[in-house]
Amino acid sequence: MTALTSLKDTWRDLGARERRMVVIGSVALLVTLIYFMVWSPFLERVDNARQRVAAGLDSLQWMQSKAAEARTLQASLGGPGRSGLTLSGSFLSFVEESAKKGGLGGGLKGAEPSGNDQVLIRFEQTPFHALIAWMIDLHSKGVEAFSVALEREQEPGKVRARLVLGRSGG
């Protein structure tokens, strides 16, 4: 309590002009602290959120345009032919071989069995158009995509993909 008493005594000893200066300085310090500790970080977070929303909208627009291109490409190929799948080896080796023949071998990062007659396959830095053309070709051979996850890469036109493929009707 002696520190508080000492502070009160010092305040009483100040003249009116000095008290006014201390009050003005305290208010200025309080406003500065509120600005730099509360308001400025808040504005920065709002700006970051706006940038993330804009980037998300760009990604959405890009994916919608690519989906339209895929539908156009599929329609131009005459749609799925359902010619059926005749395999000399395993379904996994068929999918891997097909990816290599489709020009996707360089981006193929892994393929593994996933359940009953299904394959989990991962690509990185893969041209989107080539991937879609390959999937349409597989579809025409009776292979169905049960799960598709695409993520845009830094390089334009390239994607990271995770697909679960299986035999149609199986």
Side-chain angles (χ1 to χ4, degrees), residues 41-69:
F42 172 74
L43 290 178
E44 190 173 320
R45 284 192 297 273
V46 167
D47 189 45
N48 288 342
R50 283 184 180 141
Q51 290 173 1
R52 284 193 312 271
V53 166
L57 288 174
D58 288 346
S59 293
L60 174 64
Q61 193 174 38
W62 180 81
M63 290 300 288
Q64 287 174 337
S65 72
K66 297 306 173 189
E69 286 180 31

Side-chain angles (χ1 to χ4, degrees), residues 87-100:
L87 301 175
S88 59
S90 73
F91 184 60
L92 175 65
S93 62
F94 168 78
V95 171
E96 286 179 318
E97 248 342 276
S98 173
K100 289 174 186 169

Side-chain angles (χ1 to χ4, degrees), residues 95-121:
V95 171
E96 286 179 318
E97 248 342 276
S98 173
K100 289 174 186 169
K101 286 179 184 174
L104 301 173
L108 181 61
K109 295 301 174 195
E112 58 193 57
S114 173
N116 189 17
D117 280 337
Q118 291 186 354
V119 173
L120 168 64
I121 189 161

Side-chain angles (χ1 to χ4, degrees), residues 3-125:
L4 186 58
T5 307
S6 172
L7 204 58
K8 285 182 182 178
D9 290 341
T10 304
W11 179 256
R12 272 189 240 121
D13 292 342
L14 293 176
R17 185 175 183 193
E18 291 170 330
R19 285 184 187 172
R20 197 175 319 126
M21 291 302 289
V22 168
V23 168
I24 291 171
S26 298
V27 168
L29 179 63
L30 181 65
V31 168
T32 302
L33 286 174
I34 288 173
Y35 177 79
F36 284 108
M37 295 181 80
V38 176
W39 188 249
S40 181
F42 172 74
L43 290 178
E44 190 173 320
R45 284 192 297 273
V46 167
D47 189 45
N48 288 342
R50 283 184 180 141
Q51 290 173 1
R52 284 193 312 271
V53 166
L57 288 174
D58 288 346
S59 293
L60 174 64
Q61 193 174 38
W62 180 81
M63 290 300 288
Q64 287 174 337
S65 72
K66 297 306 173 189
E69 286 180 31
R71 284 190 294 275
T72 303
L73 183 58
Q74 184 176 15
S76 71
L77 292 176
R82 299 278 182 208
S83 62
L85 201 53
T86 56
L87 301 175
S88 59
S90 73
F91 184 60
L92 175 65
S93 62
F94 168 78
V95 171
E96 286 179 318
E97 248 342 276
S98 173
K100 289 174 186 169
K101 286 179 184 174
L104 301 173
L108 181 61
K109 295 301 174 195
E112 58 193 57
S114 173
N116 189 17
D117 280 337
Q118 291 186 354
V119 173
L120 168 64
I121 189 161
R122 294 181 314 278
F123 295 98
E124 290 182 9
Q125 291 293 328

Side-chain angles (χ1 to χ4, degrees), residues 155-170:
E155 189 176 339
K158 301 277 179 120
V159 293
R160 180 178 303 142
R162 184 178 182 277
L163 311 166
V164 176
L165 304 174
R167 299 173 197 222
S168 292

